[in-house]
Amino acid sequence: MIERKIVGTRALAMRDAKSSLRTQGEGLFEGYASLFGIVDLGGDEMAPGAFRRTLERRGAPNIRMLWQHDPSMPIGTWLSIAEDGRGLKVKGRLNLAVARAREAFALMREGAIDGLSIGFRVKTARKAATGGIRRLIEVDLWEVSLVTFPMLPQARVTSLKAHELQNFH
């Protein structure tokens, strides 16, 4: 009788390990939360290097992943956030133990949600002499959200890992 329990426990442990391996990659996604040199719908243009100091100071783990900029709805964590030649590239993992994150994941899989948007405080900016464009030289980044309508329409999730990587666009 005792031997059967041990075998049963091993079988359960093996089943749980297989399930964990199968879902370990689920919820991973990446994209661009901001792009350099493109004016957003609010008239702001992000300059290359604008995120450098805040990323050095905070790092990805201390920048929140929110749903629709709602501070009461964290839905995962950022694994990496870095500037490259194009903009602010982000890689994150939705916490699928959170109901809202599971909903976001389902919407992302269907292509219903793919917008990214940043929450920040302006530290240094320069107003253009004409056209009213504000060039953001340095910002204090505190969150990146999955959103329906990003202020910068080109700021999008570019890939999502369900069981294998799928390109959105």
Side-chain angles (χ1 to χ4, degrees):
M1 193 83 155
I2 294 173
E3 190 172 318
R4 291 177 90 193
K5 277 189 172 179
I6 292 171
V7 170
T9 303
R10 283 186 192 148
L12 281 174
M14 287 177 69
R15 185 196 72 206
D16 290 345
K18 285 179 186 175
S19 175
S20 175
L21 286 174
R22 197 170 40 246
T23 60
Q24 187 175 22
E26 284 197 322
L28 293 174
F29 68 97
E30 60 185 70
Y32 280 90
S34 181
L35 297 167
F36 301 135
I38 299 175
V39 179
D40 70 16
L41 299 174
D44 289 337
E45 175 188 2
M46 200 62 68
F51 302 100
R52 185 180 54 80
R53 285 190 184 170
T54 194
L55 293 175
E56 287 172 355
R57 190 176 68 255
R58 282 204 177 108
N62 294 310
I63 295 169
R64 301 296 173 233
M65 180 191 296
L66 302 178
W67 175 250
Q68 307 283 358
H69 294 295
D70 187 336
S72 70
M73 291 191 194
I75 56 172
T77 54
W78 294 111
L79 304 175
S80 71
I81 302 176
E83 286 190 9
D84 67 11
R86 186 171 178 214
L88 187 66
K89 187 169 187 174
V90 296
K91 293 180 184 177
R93 178 189 316 272
L94 294 166
N95 182 341
L96 299 179
V98 175
R100 179 63 70 187
R102 286 192 305 275
E103 292 170 5
F105 184 59
L107 291 167
M108 289 169 72
R109 274 196 313 233
E110 294 297 317
I113 294 284
D114 68 350
L116 292 170
S117 185
I118 57 176
F120 61 92
R121 185 174 61 86
V122 176
K123 297 198 77 164
T124 308
R126 291 195 181 93
K127 197 80 161 172
T130 59
I133 295 170
R134 183 172 68 156
R135 185 166 172 83
L136 304 177
I137 308 301
E138 183 182 350
V139 298
D140 183 17
L141 179 68
W142 47 275
E143 63 97 359
V144 179
S145 285
L146 280 165
V147 298
T148 309
F149 301 109
M151 184 66 80
L152 180 63
Q154 298 89 336
R156 301 287 173 171
V157 172
T158 56
S159 65
L160 172 68
K161 188 162 188 173
H163 290 293
E164 55 188 63
L165 200 60
Q166 301 168 340
N167 287 323
F168 271 35
H169 304 289

